[in-house]
Amino acid sequence: MTGSGDRSLRALGLADAPRDHPLIYPGAWPEDSGLLTGDRLLPLDRLVYEDRVPVLTVGSNACPGQLRHKMDEAGVDSPVPLVKTRVTGLDVGVSAHVSRMGYVSASPFAAPGVVRELFVIWLDAEQLAVVDASEGVPLPDGNFRRAWLPAPEVRIETADGRTLPGAYAYVNRRGVLRDGTDAPRRHPGRQRVLLTALLTALPRLRALFGVSPEEFTARARADRRLCDRGTRLFAEEKLVTMSGLEQYAGTGPGGRLDGEPGSGDRPGGPHGPAAPQSPQGGR
C-alpha cells in the first residue's frame, strides 16, 4: 500500500458498512494490509503486534467501513491494524442463523489443506470487547463464540514470512449450513447470490421473508422474531452441520479455557474489561 493520495475510506471504496447496506455483505475488503484510523486506511509499519490480540476475520470484520461503524457506535476511536494473511486449514462457510442486521453471515469451518487469503485484525482489550459484543459473545444465546485456532491446525502466515502461533475467530454456536451433502457450504462472498439461492431452494423461507433478496433484508431488519423463525427453519430443514471448530470455542492460547466472555486476554498482560452488551445480540 502506498502512502500517497487520498487514503480516506470513501476514496478507497471501503466506507460502506453492511450494517447499513445488508446486500453488500461482507462489504469491501482492502487490497492489502493497512491501519484503520478514523476514516482513513494508512500504511502499516509492521505486521505483528505483540501487545494486541490477533482475530482472524472471515466476514464483515475485514470491512473497514463495518469495523469503523462498530467502533464509532461504542465510542472507541483508537487505530486498528488489518493484516492480510495466507491461511491454511480453514474455509468460509454460511452461518446457520438469520442475522437481525438483514443478512446471512459468514462463519469459519475446518478445511484441511484449503488455502485462503484472509485478514487478521489486531485488537487491544477495549476493541476486542466491542467486537465480542457485536458478535453476541457475552450473551448466553448469542450467535457466536470466540475460539482460539492454534497452529499447526490452522496456519496463518504474514507477508513477511512469519507464522502466527494462532488467532481468535468467531465460531457460530449453531454450526454452518451444509452444501447438499454433509460438507459445509461455502459462502459465495456475495449476499445477493446467497439469498437468491436460499430463497429459490426453500419455499418455507420464501413464505417468511419474501421472494427477493431485497424483501428478505427488509423483513429481517424489521422483525427479531422472524429472524429467529428463519434460524429454526434452517435446522428443521436439516440444512445445518458442524463447523469442525467447536472444540476450540471458549479457548485461548495454549488450548486453555478463556476468561469471561468478552474479557479478551492481552499477550503479556491481564484480562481486559468485560464486553459491553450488544442490543443486536451478534450479527
Side-chain angles (χ1 to χ4, degrees):
M1 177 181 297
T2 64
S4 61
D6 187 350
R7 307 307 305 173
S8 70
L9 298 185
R10 184 63 59 193
L12 296 172
L14 302 172
D16 289 339
R19 287 183 163 210
D20 296 327
H21 310 282
L23 287 179
I24 72 169
Y25 182 93
W29 293 6
E31 292 183 4
D32 205 348
S33 302
L35 183 68
L36 177 62
T37 176
D39 67 348
R40 297 185 299 163
L41 191 68
L42 303 178
L44 282 178
D45 59 2
R46 55 187 169 129
L47 301 180
V48 174
Y49 294 75
E50 290 81 3
D51 57 339
R52 287 172 170 256
V53 171
V55 177
L56 184 64
T57 64
V58 299
S60 64
N61 284 329
C63 170
Q66 184 90 320
L67 200 54
R68 184 74 271 151
H69 189 297
K70 293 183 181 187
M71 296 301 165
D72 285 348
E73 192 174 59
V76 175
D77 59 4
S78 50
V80 180
L82 293 89
V83 175
K84 194 172 187 177
T85 63
R86 175 184 170 93
V87 180
T88 304
L90 198 75
D91 210 342
V92 181
V94 180
S95 296
H97 82 281
V98 177
S99 170
R100 292 187 289 277
M101 298 296 174
Y103 44 69
V104 178
S105 61
S107 187
F109 65 88
V114 171
V115 179
R116 295 291 302 264
E117 286 191 341
L118 299 170
F119 279 86
V120 167
I121 54 176
W122 292 87
L123 305 178
D124 63 25
E126 185 179 39
Q127 294 165 346
L128 183 64
V130 170
V131 178
D132 271 1
S134 76
E135 305 296 340
V137 172
L139 305 177
D141 60 346
N143 293 313
F144 291 89
R145 297 183 69 190
R146 178 155 49 84
W148 179 262
L149 306 183
E153 286 82 355
V154 177
R155 182 179 175 87
I156 305 171
E157 302 169 85
T158 59
D160 59 2
R162 282 183 284 184
T163 301
L164 302 185
Y168 284 112
Y170 293 100
V171 176
N172 199 286
R173 293 175 186 264
R174 298 172 180 82
V176 293
L177 299 189
R178 57 188 183 90
D179 65 0
T181 69
D182 288 333
R185 176 181 192 151
R186 292 187 71 183
H187 199 292
R190 296 168 59 193
Q191 188 66 195
R192 191 181 299 274
V193 170
L194 175 62
L195 292 182
T196 298
L198 292 174
L199 290 169
T200 299
L202 299 170
R204 292 178 61 200
L205 196 68
R206 294 198 299 274
L208 292 176
F209 292 96
V211 299
S212 71
E214 290 79 8
E215 287 182 281
F216 184 103
T217 59
R219 294 187 188 184
R221 287 168 69 85
D223 193 332
R224 173 176 179 167
R225 291 184 179 179
L226 185 62
C227 290
D228 291 342
R229 289 177 65 189
T231 298
R232 291 195 300 271
L233 185 151
F234 287 150
E236 292 165 1
E237 294 281 343
K238 303 187 186 307
L239 296 177
V240 180
T241 190
M242 305 293 278
S243 71
L245 302 173
E246 287 79 9
Q247 61 183 311
Y248 304 116
T251 61
R256 59 180 170 74
L257 291 178
D258 232 356
E260 289 299 313
S263 62
D265 286 336
R266 300 179 65 180
H271 291 294
Q277 297 293 306
S278 169
Q280 297 293 342
R283 57 184 169 87

